């Protein structure tokens, strides 16, 4: 029996991994999980109840209650929730509980696409395809500002850049499961790439892995 097509996509916020993950899931007809939403769900529960983000017992309780089939992306995509999620994600017990749920999702018979911060390194170290999607902090800040303005909001580039750099430092510097590329991950730097170019590059990597798996 051939290995399932599990695609693990990691990278910092704003690099385009979520869009890429959804495109690949559609292309190969695979279920997709944005694992960042699971951490956002924990953070959202803490915020909604007025609990401190560093309150490990309540964070662990919230993590146990996360339902992968009931993640409200519209609610969980708020910037404040994302910032809080990055702080909750440093709690080892929370990571352990959510990683177990994510692994269960990844074990679907035909495979799955998961994107996050530690998929190729911790959650799915045996994934058939591992991608590390990145872009410069400046490019990611410009993208974030454009997204805000497209939704009739306003922001300052310098503040957005500082926020991204703080989040990168927190994600890459945490002791448990820090953000980093897996040793065998394919690096995709999207700083100068369109969404379509990044998708085509990723699809070529996946197709090559499938051909090798199937002995083509």
């Amino acid at each position: 029996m051939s290995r399932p097509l599990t695609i693990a996509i990691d990278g910092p916020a704003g690099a385009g991994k979520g869009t890429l993950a959804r495109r690949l899931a559609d292309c190969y007809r695979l279920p997709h999980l944005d694992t960042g939403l699971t951490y956002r769900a924990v953070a959202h529960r803490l915020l909604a109840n007025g609990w401190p983000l560093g309150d490990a017992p309540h964070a662990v309780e919230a993590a146990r209650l996360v339902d992968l089939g009931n993640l409200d992306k519209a609610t969980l995509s708020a910037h404040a929730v994302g910032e809080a999620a990055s702080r909750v994600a440093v709690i080892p017990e929370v990571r352990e509980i959510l990683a177990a749920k994510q692994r269960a999702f990844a074990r679907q018979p035909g495979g799955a696409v998961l994107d996050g911060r530690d998929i190729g390194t911790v959650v799915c170290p045996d994934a058939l395809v591992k991608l590390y999607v990145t872009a410069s902090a400046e490019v990611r800040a410009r993208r974030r500002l454009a997204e805000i303005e497209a939704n009739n909001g306003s922001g300052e580039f310098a503040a957005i850049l500082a926020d991204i750099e703080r989040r990168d430092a927190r994600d890459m510097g945490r002791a448990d499961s820090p953000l980093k590329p897996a040793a065998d991950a394919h690096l995709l730097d999207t700083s100068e790439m369109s969404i379509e170019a990044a998708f085509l590059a990723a699809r070529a990597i996946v197709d090559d892995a499938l051909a090798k798996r199937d002995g083509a």
Side-chain angles (χ1 to χ4, degrees):
M1 184 176 178
S2 60
R3 291 170 63 190
L5 177 54
T6 303
I7 303 175
I9 306 177
D10 293 307
K17 65 180 182 295
T19 301
L20 189 57
R22 291 189 293 273
R23 290 284 303 270
L24 290 172
D26 288 343
C27 178
Y28 295 99
R29 299 182 180 181
L30 294 171
H32 165 240
L33 176 64
D34 174 355
T35 64
L37 291 179
T38 65
Y39 291 95
R40 285 171 176 259
V42 174
H44 182 263
R45 185 176 291 271
L46 293 177
L47 291 171
N49 286 283
W51 294 326
L53 295 176
D55 184 339
H58 278 118
V60 167
E61 176 187 341
R64 290 191 177 120
L65 293 172
V66 169
D67 177 3
L68 298 190
N70 190 32
L71 296 171
D72 184 353
K73 185 174 182 180
T75 299
L76 299 178
S77 293
H79 178 68
V81 177
E83 178 65 19
S86 186
R87 294 172 62 185
V88 166
V90 303
I91 302 173
E93 296 92 336
V94 169
R95 300 199 68 82
E96 183 179 345
I97 292 167
L98 295 182
K101 293 175 183 282
Q102 294 158 16
R103 287 190 191 101
F105 182 92
R107 284 196 292 268
Q108 299 184 59
V113 181
L114 292 86
D115 69 273
R117 303 281 198 287
D118 63 348
I119 310 305
T121 53
V122 176
V123 178
C124 299
D126 297 324
L128 185 67
V129 178
K130 298 178 189 177
L131 301 173
Y132 188 85
V133 183
T134 189
S136 71
E138 290 77 12
V139 166
R140 289 184 283 132
R142 284 198 295 271
R143 290 173 181 170
R144 174 63 181 155
L145 179 58
E147 180 184 358
I148 292 171
E149 292 175 343
N151 290 313
N152 299 316
S154 62
E156 294 184 4
F157 175 80
I160 294 171
L161 177 59
D163 180 55
I164 283 175
E165 290 175 336
R166 279 195 304 271
R167 193 163 171 187
D168 285 353
R170 191 157 55 232
D171 290 343
M172 294 177 183
R174 63 177 177 243
D176 185 28
S177 309
L179 168 63
K180 64 179 181 179
D184 54 348
H186 297 270
L187 179 66
L188 271 183
D189 188 328
T190 67
S191 298
E192 304 296 331
M193 299 176 78
S194 66
I195 292 172
E196 187 64 21
F199 168 67
L200 292 175
R203 193 174 71 177
I205 292 168
V206 175
D207 287 345
D208 182 61
L210 287 173
K212 289 176 179 175
R213 182 195 70 177
D214 299 335

